[in-house]
Amino acid sequence: MVSTLTTLDWILVASYFVFALSIALYFYSRAGKNTTEFFLSGRNMPWWIIGTSMVATTFAADTPLAVTEMVALDGIAGNWLWWNFLMGGMLTVFFFARLWRRSGVLTDVEFIELRYSGKEAAWLRGIKAIYFGLLMNIIILGWVSLAMETIFNILFPGMTLFGQESFTFFGIYISAPLLLVGFLIIFVGFFSLISGLWGVAVTDIFQFAIALGGTIVLAVYAVNIPEIGGISGLQEKLPPETFQFLPTIGQTAEGFAVLSLSFGAFAAYFGVQWWSSWYPGSEPGGGGYVAQRIMSAKDEKHALFATLWFNIAHYCLRPWPWIIVALVSLVLYPNLEDSREGFVLVMRDVLPPGLLGLLFAAFLAAFTSTFAAHLNWGTSYLVNDFWRRFIKSDGDEKHYVFVSRIITFLLAILAFFVTTQLDSIRQAWGLVLTASGGLGLVLILRWYWWRINAWSELAASLTPIFLVILVMLGVPVPGIVDPFPMNLYYVVGITTAVWLIVTYMTKPTETAKLTSFYRRVRPGGPGWKPLEADNPDISSDGSLFPLLGNWLAGVVLVYMALFGFGHFLFGNYLYFTICTVTGLVALGYLYWDLSKRGFDTIIEVDDHGEHVDAVDIGRTPEKKG
C-alpha cells in the first residue's frame, strides 16, 4: 500500500519551485526600490491578498501534524487549544486593524516610539526588535523546520544524500533529511531576499490554494478507502465522544476521550489566555506579521476586511480536512508512538502517484510560505528598528534594502542551525504562552489608555520571562511550577501587578508625544479623555460599544461557520441549520453596522511611513466617550 514518488510526482514538485522562483524574480526590481516596498508592498495591497497571505503564513508544515496530535489525544474538541484564539483575532479585526493602518509605521516595533517618549522607549524598541525579530523568530522557524524534517523522514525512510545517511559539520550531527531541509531553507532565503513582501504575498495565494486543495483531496481519498468506508464508517470505528465539538467541563479524561478540562483550566483557556499572552499570528492587539500585513493595506477598509477574511479562512476553511485525516489516522494507525506522524502516513499510504506529489508540493508550499513570511517580518524588525534606528540612521533606501537582503539570508542560516539543536516542539507552545503571560493586556491598553508608558510595556515583557527562567533554574515559585494553563493565573496576576505598580511609579509619556499620537491615530473610548479635551478639533472613533457589538457578532459568525460545516460533514443537519441561521444573523448585523459606520479616512504616508497628509471625507462626528 506504500506509495513512492514517481516521475510525475517529482515533475509537480519541480513545477512548484519554478513557479515560486518566477514570481520572486518578477518582483525583484519593485522590492528593491525602498524598504516600504520591500516590507510593506508600497502600502497598496488589497484585502483579499493580505488576508490570504496571513492565513497561508499560519498554515505551516507543522500545523496539520499538530492538529493530528490534538485529535489523537482529545478528539475533535482538542482543537479548542487553538480555537479559543479567535476571540483575540476578532479584537484585532474591529478594535485595532484601522488603528494600525492609521499609525503609518513600518513595523509594530516602530510603533513603540510613536506611542512612548524618552530613552526608555528607544531601549524598549531595540530590545523587542532583537527579542522578537531574532530570538523568538528563529525558534519559531526552527520548530517549523523540525516538522518538515519529520515529513521527509516518513516519506523517504532511509534517505541518503551524496551516498550518506548523515553528516557532521563543525561538530554538529545532521541527518540527510535535515540537510535536505537546509537546502530548502536556502531556497526560501534566496526567494525572500529578492522578492520582498509583494513576492511573498502573491506566492502565498498560490501556496494556500495548493496546500488547502491538497489537504481536501487527501481527506476525500482517505475517508473513502475500504478500510474506512466513508464518514459513516469512520463514525462507527471510533468512540462517539471523539466527534464532540465542545470540551467536557469538570471531568477527568480516562483513556481516549473528548477534551476534558477542569473548570480552572477551561477558565484559563477561555477567560485568560487569548487576551493575556503573545503568540505568533494571535497577538493581543494585533502585531507581528499580522500587523505588517495590515500596514501594507490600501486603506482602513482593506485593513479591516483583510483581518476579517483571515479569521474566517483560518478557523473555518482549513481545519476540517486536517481533522478528517487525523480521524482516519486513528483507525489506520491506532498504536503510533508519535501521533503526529499519522497525517503523513495517511498521505503516504493512501494517495496514488500524481496526487502524492501534489500533496508533497502542498507541504513544501506551506513550509515555504511560513518561512518566507517570518524571514521578511523578522528582517523588518532588525533593519528598521535596530539597524536604521541604532547603527546607521543616515543611509539611503538602497543601503537599507541591501542590508535587508543580507540579514534575510543570515536569518535563514541561523534558523537552520537552531533546527539542528531542537529535539522536540511538544512544550514550545505552552512555554511561549507562559513566557508572555500578562503582556497582552498592555498591548491592548496602550491603544486605549493614555497612562500606559514605555516602562509599563517593558515591565510586562520582562516579568513573565523572568518567572519562567526562575522555574527553569529550579526555583520553586508557587503557582508558576503548575502545568500549563493553570500557571497562567499566577503568571498573568504577578505580571499585571508588576506593570501596574511600575506604571504609577514612573512618569507618564510626555504630553507632546501623547498629543501627536492621539491626533495621528484618533483612538476612541474613555481612556483618552484628557487628550480629547485638549484637542477638540480631532474627531476620534468615539464610543467603543459599537466595536464591542461587532466583535461579538464576528465571534458568533466564525464559530457558527466552523461548527455548522462540521455538523454538515457528520450528518447532524438540525445543528447545521441552527448554526447556519445564527451565523447569517451575525453576518447581517455586521453588514448593517459596518455599512452605517463607513470608512472615510484617507491617509497618505511617505516612504518612511511618515504622514504627509490626512484628510477626513464626509465624516459625521459621533458622540465621544
Side-chain angles (χ1 to χ4, degrees):
M1 192 176 180
V2 175
S3 300
T4 56
L5 267 68
T6 64
T7 301
L8 176 60
D9 295 320
W10 286 115
I11 290 174
L12 290 171
V13 172
S15 299
Y16 161 72
F17 282 109
V18 170
F19 183 83
L21 189 59
S22 299
I23 291 177
L25 292 172
Y26 178 80
F27 286 104
Y28 174 75
S29 297
R30 181 168 184 170
K33 290 181 179 179
N34 53 59
T35 50
T36 302
E37 283 287 353
F38 191 86
F39 294 123
L40 295 182
S41 65
R43 303 182 194 271
N44 195 37
M45 199 175 285
W47 66 269
W48 58 275
I49 292 182
I50 299 170
T52 306
S53 179
M54 289 179 190
V55 73
T57 299
T58 61
F59 190 161
D62 64 311
T63 321
L65 279 62
V67 168
T68 302
E69 183 178 33
M70 292 175 191
V71 172
L73 291 173
D74 298 306
I76 293 176
N79 286 280
W80 277 101
L81 299 181
W82 66 279
W83 282 349
N84 73 84
F85 279 127
L86 168 66
M87 292 178 282
M90 280 297 165
L91 279 183
T92 299
V93 174
F94 298 109
F95 282 85
F96 302 108
R98 286 182 282 194
L99 301 186
W100 275 118
R101 184 60 184 84
R102 289 175 196 170
S103 72
V105 294
L106 190 70
T107 69
D108 61 315
V109 175
E110 181 184 336
F111 170 86
I112 290 169
E113 287 197 287
L114 174 70
R115 172 63 175 81
Y116 309 129
S117 59
K119 292 183 178 180
E120 62 270 24
W123 275 101
L124 178 61
R125 180 178 177 180
I127 290 171
K128 297 194 81 166
I130 297 296
Y131 179 72
F132 289 108
L134 180 62
L135 300 179
M136 189 64 73
N137 199 28
I138 61 174
I139 291 174
I140 296 168
L141 291 173
W143 83 51
V144 169
S145 302
L146 197 64
M148 200 68 219
E149 182 192 10
T150 300
I151 294 169
F152 284 148
N153 277 325
I154 296 173
L155 289 182
F156 310 108
M159 174 191 288
T160 61
L161 287 177
F162 312 112
Q164 294 183 243
E165 292 185 356
S166 62
F167 304 83
T168 302
F169 295 104
F170 303 104
I172 301 173
Y173 170 82
I174 302 176
S175 66
L178 185 56
L179 185 60
L180 187 58
V181 172
F183 291 143
L184 187 58
I185 287 173
I186 291 174
F187 168 80
V188 179
F190 177 71
F191 165 83
S192 301
L193 69 89
I194 66 175
S195 67
L197 184 60
W198 259 117
V200 169
V202 172
T203 309
D204 278 346
I205 305 295
F206 175 67
Q207 290 165 338
F208 180 65
I210 292 180
L212 182 62
T215 52
I216 291 174
V217 168
L218 174 60
V220 171
Y221 261 83
V223 80
N224 286 296
I225 61 174
E227 295 90 333
I228 301 299
I231 292 292
S232 59
L234 190 63
Q235 291 173 301
E236 292 173 1
K237 292 176 174 62
L238 292 171
E241 59 266 24
T242 312
F243 299 90
Q244 285 186 216
F245 295 171
L246 299 176
T248 301
I249 310 303
Q251 297 183 11
T252 302
E254 297 180 3
F256 177 80
V258 66
L259 175 63
S260 297
L261 300 173
S262 66
F263 180 79
F266 175 81
Y269 280 126
F270 297 97
V272 178
Q273 176 193 307
W274 61 269
W275 58 262
S276 68
S277 295
W278 182 95
Y279 194 77
S282 301
E283 301 88 344
Y289 58 79
V290 171
Q292 182 195 36
R293 298 302 195 277
I294 291 171
M295 292 180 286
S296 71
K298 289 182 176 182
D299 52 35
E300 294 176 26
K301 179 179 180 179
H302 283 267
L304 185 147
F305 280 102
T307 47
L308 181 60
W309 164 237
F310 162 57
N311 280 278
I312 292 172
H314 182 66
Y315 293 100
C316 302
L317 294 184
R318 303 186 316 160
W320 286 111
W322 302 342
I323 291 170
I324 294 296
V325 175
L327 293 170
V328 169
S329 74
L330 295 181
V331 176
L332 297 182
Y333 319 104
N335 299 311
L336 276 181
E337 183 177 343
D338 185 351
S339 56
R340 292 178 304 160
E341 296 179 353
F343 192 97
V344 188
L345 288 171
V346 172
M347 166 181 153
R348 184 197 69 182
D349 295 343
V350 167
L351 291 178
L355 288 180
L356 178 59
L358 175 67
L359 198 64
F360 181 50
F363 267 103
L364 293 173
F367 173 81
T368 302
S369 173
T370 299
F371 209 96
H374 273 271
L375 285 180
N376 187 273
W377 164 61
T379 300
S380 71
Y381 284 6
L382 296 175
V383 173
N384 186 68
D385 302 301
F386 187 77
W387 186 270
R388 190 202 295 263
R389 177 63 178 82
F390 298 102
I391 306 299
K392 186 175 178 62
S393 60
D394 58 349
D396 58 22
E397 285 299 305
K398 290 189 179 297
H399 165 79
Y400 294 120
V401 171
F402 175 75
V403 172
S404 299
R405 285 173 166 155
I406 295 296
I407 290 179
T408 297
F409 189 75
L410 293 178
L411 265 183
I413 299 299
L414 190 57
F416 175 67
F417 171 77
V418 170
T419 305
T420 66
Q421 306 303 303
L422 292 177
D423 295 320
S424 172
I425 62 173
R426 288 179 181 271
Q427 303 303 319
W429 188 73
L431 179 62
V432 169
L433 291 170
T434 301
S436 61
L439 171 62
L441 190 57
V442 171
L443 299 182
I444 291 172
L445 290 180
R446 64 184 183 177
W447 292 95
Y448 289 107
W449 186 26
W450 70 274
R451 190 60 179 82
I452 296 286
N453 61 25
W455 292 112
S456 310
E457 189 165 335
L458 190 60
S461 299
L462 298 180
T463 300
I465 297 173
F466 177 72
L467 293 173
V468 169
I469 291 174
L470 285 180
V471 172
M472 296 177 74
L473 292 175
V475 179
V477 184
I480 310 302
V481 295
D482 290 353
F484 181 84
M486 296 302 293
N487 60 0
L488 279 181
Y489 291 111
Y490 300 93
V491 174
V492 172
I494 293 171
T495 301
T496 302
V498 169
W499 74 254
L500 280 173
I501 292 171
V502 168
T503 299
Y504 284 107
M505 288 182 63
T506 54
K507 294 180 180 180
T509 300
E510 294 175 358
T511 302
K513 176 66 71 173
L514 289 173
T515 300
S516 174
F517 175 80
Y518 178 76
R519 296 182 68 86
R520 182 170 183 165
V521 178
R522 296 178 284 106
W528 290 97
K529 285 292 185 182
L531 278 299
E532 185 180 288
D534 292 338
N535 296 271
D537 59 312
I538 296 296
S539 178
S540 73
D541 281 345
S543 173
L544 301 183
F545 284 107
L547 302 183
L548 191 62
N550 292 158
W551 170 80
L552 182 60
V555 170
V556 171
L557 169 64
V558 174
Y559 278 142
M560 290 302 99
L562 172 65
F563 299 147
F565 189 68
H567 284 304
F568 179 81
L569 281 176
F570 295 114
N572 305 321
Y573 298 118
L574 175 61
Y575 289 120
F576 164 70
T577 302
I578 293 172
C579 289
T580 300
V581 172
T582 307
L584 288 174
V585 170
L587 179 63
Y589 173 80
L590 279 178
Y591 179 81
W592 169 77
D593 190 67
L594 292 177
S595 299
K596 178 186 67 173
R597 293 173 65 83
F599 301 86
D600 47 19
T601 302
I602 295 177
I603 295 183
E604 300 291 341
V605 296
D606 63 17
D607 288 341
H608 301 291
E610 298 296 332
H611 282 220
V612 295
D613 189 22
V615 183
D616 287 338
I617 301 177
R619 173 176 289 275
T620 302
E622 301 175 14
K623 183 180 178 181
K624 301 175 182 177

